[in-house]
Amino acid sequence: MSSDVAVQAGEIRARGLGRMFKIRLTQTRSLKETILRRELPKTRELWALEDVDLDIHRGETFGIVGRNGSGKSTLLKLIAGIFSPSTGTLEVEGRVGSLIEIGAGFHPEFTGVENVYLNAAIYGLKRSYVDEHLDEIIDFAELEQFKDVPVRTYSSGMYMRLGFSVAMHIQPDILLLDEVLAVGDEAFQQKCFGRLADFKQAGGTIVFVSHDPRAVERLCDRAIMLDAGHVLEEGPATEVVSAYHRRVVSGPSEAVRRDGVAAARCRVHEVRAIAVDGTPRDRFVEGEPMALEVWLYAEEEVEDASVTVGIRDADARPVGSQTLEGVRLPHGRLERLRLNFPGLPMREGRFFVDVGVTTADRDAELALAERALELSVFGSDAAGSGPIRLGGTWDVPHVDGTGDG
Amino acid sequence: MAVNVEARAARLPQLGWVAGYGELLRTLVRRELRMRFKGSALGLFWSLIYPLAMVGVYTLVFSVLWRATGNIPHYPLFVLSGLAVWGFFQAGIQLGTTSLVANGELIKKVWFPRELVPASAVLAQTVTIGVMLGILIPIALIVEPANARTVALVIPIVAALICLVLGLAWLLSVANVFFRDVEHLLAVVFLPWFFLTPVLYALDQFSAAHSHRWLILLMRYGNPVTPYVESVRAVVLQHTVPGAPLLVYVFVVGPAFALLGLWVMQRYEDRLAIEL
């Protein structure tokens, strides 16, 4: 393809990578039903990942950020080889150690030691190699006393320790890391980070996925931000993470109801603060009249939605929220909602506006835009303090004695 | 050792994995065996007691009481040889078919060639047929020393049988992932199938064999396991080399099923992790 140079061990190269899933809307699981039903089961195509170009170099720690459902884990699973691409090419060279899911490649009925052999064999290692390193692996995982009991009795922390230990001892060229490290206790996490630093030092490649952008910022050299299966940002980790924070407009989010039925697609297109003269602004003076404008876009009609506008302070503490029920969103059109404030209720500081759209029964989140808007408010009343403008007017006794006092 | 997804999506069945994943296959077979014999000290013994008890029962009913087996010499050995082949065939296919679903957790989370899972279930079953033949062959040699001339042929015949079972296990295990009732269907099919297979009787023994030649031919070649039963018997008990048609069938059908199964397996491999 577009490969000028062959991919070396520890490198990952993707060109136009895409992965489509067919979502079955009607669940058919039996042969009889398939034969008796003449029409094909209804399916919908969902592109979990589309047109992704990626170059991850040897010795690099590469982060992937994005919200739930943005395609992060699909990308990891493609790199791990669990799925194959629907379009494009993906070249992964070298042995890939994967810590994507806790207990991956473990058999619950097997003891710790037996699982070390199983897991190592999955990675293609010889039994003799494991024989040699078994004590080391068990030691590192701190499972000396539990090595001969079935892993189904393990805690999630123990699972993680064993998985990490095996993955680090199989001499991988590439290590895929997920949220899993968070399961361990503080001391073990430190040990893991130490080990990861050694791995990196030795020229190992790490691909790290997290919901926690700070962890990505701390660990990674470069990163990408995924949204709805597309790469939105690529560059130095700090820049990508701040772009992720800055994102004013939330991308479309695929809502899934708790009962498993995919709900309609809808997104928060824009959130603006409008001053009294009708112009959008993001700096206001305490008590100034203003309005918050929320622009919503629905791909499929939503009959009865609840829209919540919440305000948080700079430390992410909620200041207050307001919900509007019974909102109807026609499909394919931008709808504007306006929340009017006769006087801005906040006092001095930086504030963030979140907008959430849910179904009427609040069972499914249709869209969520966190930190959709940042507001700066300047205090005007030196006599007040705290995050909100308490307001109120004093009634005081007259000093000249003519009052009712 | 690279994960090369492109190469695996090729049209023809790939065999390269055997070299790279031999260790994993061995580990999975060991695991399968340990799971089966776990918790019972008598382990292997139990898997033998059942066919041996059945040999006793069939001999009592058909040979002693019914006297229906007059022209079959050494009837208990005759039944034992049939049960060895059939037992492996049935257990291999049944356990192979359910293996992908049973190991769903492993398949969803890590990548390795999926064909190893049904293969390990089938290969673990070879232990039983091995032990049964290990009992049968020495006795057969004692009662009829002439068997020594042909007994070595049992090795390639059983190898071809393993290919047949592997192929069917691959095919049915994939089908079972998409339609979970395949395993229930199999459970129903196996009993009549057993009686249509010449385990308790010989096809040529019937008086109808001459008047209904086509029926005998259908039962012999329409049922993939029958030629294996007859061939194993011929070389182990009857010191004869099976006829050319039977030999061709044995060595063509088994490997052909194996290749077909492998091809189907590798074609649908990608969808397994999603369906499970």
Side-chain angles (χ1 to χ4, degrees):
Chain A
M1 302 286 302
S2 49
S3 43
D4 349 281
V5 201
V7 175
Q8 304 292 312
E11 291 185 352
I12 299 169
R13 178 191 290 160
R15 290 288 177 270
L17 182 65
R19 174 72 214 199
M20 186 262 285
F21 292 102
K22 280 210 172 75
I23 308 291
R24 238 195 242 111
L25 298 177
T26 46
Q27 205 73 23
T28 34
R29 267 284 182 224
S30 89
L31 198 57
K32 191 187 90 188
E33 278 174 52
T34 309
I35 292 167
L36 292 183
R37 267 156 163 271
R38 282 305 163 90
E39 84 270 33
L40 290 161
K42 288 187 184 124
T43 56
R44 203 173 83 190
E45 291 188 356
L46 181 78
W47 283 89
L49 217 56
E50 239 182 319
D51 204 23
V52 171
D53 290 347
L54 206 59
D55 280 286
I56 300 177
H57 311 295
R58 184 174 171 77
E60 190 169 44
T61 301
F62 194 87
I64 304 171
V65 293
R67 306 184 328 182
N68 277 332
S70 57
K72 294 187 309 259
S73 30
T74 304
L75 182 53
L76 269 196
K77 285 189 169 178
L78 282 167
I79 296 173
I82 298 170
F83 302 143
S84 57
S86 306
T87 57
T89 58
L90 174 65
E91 290 162 275
V92 179
E93 218 36 69
R95 181 177 284 140
V96 180
S98 114
L99 271 168
I100 300 183
E101 266 173 286
I102 292 177
F106 286 163
H107 192 286
E109 284 303 319
F110 271 48
T111 68
V113 171
E114 287 167 333
N115 268 307
V116 170
Y117 281 100
L118 175 65
N119 218 303
I122 288 173
Y123 286 123
L125 289 175
K126 289 265 166 260
R127 201 173 171 79
S128 54
Y129 177 86
V130 186
D131 287 336
E132 249 171 70
H133 293 82
L134 184 64
D135 291 338
E136 224 177 292
I137 294 172
I138 297 289
D139 269 357
F140 185 85
E142 302 166 14
L143 289 170
E144 195 51 47
Q145 290 149 326
F146 301 98
K147 63 178 187 183
D148 292 321
V149 296
V151 298
R152 70 180 143 79
T153 62
Y154 281 20
S155 69
S156 54
M158 289 157 82
Y159 256 112
M160 190 283 276
R161 271 154 34 203
L162 189 60
F164 185 85
S165 186
V166 174
M168 291 310 301
H169 284 87
I170 60 158
Q171 302 179 316
D173 298 294
I174 299 169
L175 199 60
L176 306 181
L177 275 182
D178 205 336
E179 240 66 47
V180 288
L181 284 187
V183 187
D185 55 64
E186 194 80 17
F188 192 75
Q189 271 188 33
Q190 287 314 312
K191 202 159 128 183
C192 290
F193 284 127
R195 192 70 194 224
L196 288 175
D198 293 346
F199 175 70
K200 213 177 144 172
Q201 201 83 55
T205 309
I206 301 175
V207 182
F208 181 60
V209 163
S210 183
H211 304 288
D212 177 12
R214 271 165 308 188
V216 171
E217 208 167 2
R218 200 169 61 226
L219 275 175
C220 300
D221 313 317
R222 280 199 311 138
I224 54 168
M225 169 163 66
L226 284 176
D227 192 84
H230 294 269
V231 177
L232 283 196
E233 291 280 344
E234 182 174 3
T238 45
E239 279 174 30
V240 172
V241 167
S242 56
Y244 180 68
H245 277 307
R246 265 202 320 272
R247 256 178 83 70
V248 181
V249 177
S250 78
S253 80
E254 177 85 5
V256 177
R257 294 180 60 102
R258 278 182 214 143
D259 52 16
V261 181
R265 301 181 79 163
C266 146
R267 64 191 159 89
V268 178
H269 184 76
E270 195 173 7
V271 180
R272 303 195 295 180
I274 309 290
V276 71
D277 60 358
T279 56
R281 264 206 264 151
D282 57 5
R283 285 152 191 266
F284 292 89
V285 177
E286 167 187 353
E288 194 182 343
M290 62 89 82
L292 285 175
E293 253 184 24
V294 177
W295 293 82
L296 298 172
Y297 181 86
E299 268 164 46
E300 287 156 39
E301 179 167 324
V302 182
E303 271 299 330
D304 186 10
S306 293
V307 179
T308 302
V309 173
I311 294 178
R312 285 184 292 157
D313 67 12
D315 298 324
R317 283 185 303 237
V319 174
S321 73
Q322 204 68 40
T323 300
L324 178 63
E325 286 178 346
V327 180
R328 187 177 161 273
L329 299 171
H331 82 96
R333 217 176 70 200
L334 277 174
E335 281 287 291
R336 189 192 69 176
L337 300 173
R338 215 172 155 145
L339 180 58
N340 294 301
F341 297 94
L344 196 60
M346 289 93 77
R347 256 185 53 78
E348 214 160 30
R350 275 166 67 224
F351 297 89
F352 297 96
V353 180
D354 303 333
V355 176
V357 184
T358 63
T359 52
D361 51 16
R362 309 257 168 115
D363 255 2
E365 182 180 278
L366 298 172
L368 177 67
E370 283 184 309
R371 298 186 169 214
L373 179 67
E374 186 180 336
L375 289 175
S376 295
V377 181
F378 302 97
S380 67
D381 180 2
S385 71
I388 62 158
R389 176 186 173 82
L390 196 55
T393 47
W394 292 105
D395 224 354
V396 290
H398 287 285
V399 188
D400 56 5
T402 57
D404 2 352
Chain B
M1 187 193 53
V3 178
N4 196 338
V5 181
E6 286 286 302
R8 294 195 56 84
R11 307 256 164 223
L12 292 171
Q14 305 282 310
L15 288 167
W17 52 268
V18 179
Y21 285 90
E23 188 66 57
L24 178 56
L25 184 61
R26 274 191 294 279
T27 307
L28 287 173
V29 171
R30 251 197 304 271
R31 178 182 97 157
E32 204 71 41
L33 288 174
R34 214 172 315 132
M35 294 283 277
R36 234 171 86 235
F37 300 129
K38 199 182 68 167
S40 73
L42 293 171
L44 195 59
F45 173 76
W46 284 118
S47 66
L48 281 179
I49 210 80
Y50 176 76
L52 291 178
M54 290 320 281
V55 167
V57 171
Y58 290 135
T59 305
L60 177 73
V61 173
F62 294 109
S63 190
V64 178
L65 298 176
W66 201 349
R67 298 192 178 280
T69 58
N71 52 353
I72 299 176
H74 315 302
Y75 186 69
L77 297 183
F78 178 89
V79 173
L80 186 60
S81 63
L83 280 181
V85 172
W86 174 263
F88 167 67
F89 180 76
Q90 177 178 358
I93 289 176
Q94 274 187 323
L95 292 167
T97 299
T98 52
S99 63
L100 285 179
V101 173
N103 288 287
E105 282 307 300
L106 212 55
I107 289 169
K108 266 188 293 186
K109 292 181 177 174
V110 282
W111 187 86
F112 56 91
R114 275 53 170 114
E115 48 268 44
L116 291 176
V117 172
S120 63
V122 170
L123 292 180
Q125 292 303 315
T126 57
V127 172
T128 325
I129 186 174
V131 173
M132 280 170 75
L133 290 177
I135 294 171
L136 173 69
I137 289 172
I139 302 175
L141 290 178
I142 292 166
V143 298
E144 186 58 74
N147 284 326
R149 293 205 307 265
T150 54
V151 76
L153 274 173
V154 79
I155 293 166
I157 294 171
V158 169
L161 171 68
I162 292 171
C163 287
L164 173 76
V165 176
L166 273 175
L168 286 169
W170 279 327
L171 283 173
L172 293 167
S173 62
V174 172
N176 194 45
V177 170
F178 293 98
F179 308 107
R180 303 284 165 107
D181 41 7
V182 168
E183 56 185 89
H184 304 296
L185 194 68
L186 273 185
V188 174
V189 164
F190 268 122
L191 191 61
W193 197 345
F194 172 73
F195 286 109
L196 286 173
T197 305
V199 174
L200 303 178
Y201 53 85
L203 282 176
D204 302 319
Q205 156 204 11
F206 300 119
S207 44
H210 300 289
S211 49
H212 294 84
R213 277 203 65 80
W214 61 272
L215 188 62
I216 297 297
L217 281 177
L218 181 67
M219 285 181 75
R220 177 166 291 149
Y221 296 108
N223 178 355
V225 70
T226 300
Y228 294 89
V229 172
E230 294 193 323
S231 305
V232 167
R233 245 175 215 154
V235 300
V236 173
L237 291 179
Q238 295 151 357
H239 45 86
T240 47
V241 176
L246 218 49
L247 277 185
V248 169
Y249 191 102
V250 163
F251 291 111
V252 170
V253 169
F257 263 104
L259 287 176
L260 177 69
L262 201 55
W263 179 72
V264 168
M265 188 88 206
Q266 290 176 353
R267 258 202 85 116
Y268 287 96
E269 182 176 70
D270 179 49
R271 287 177 59 189
L272 296 179
I274 304 162
E275 287 290 332
L276 278 166

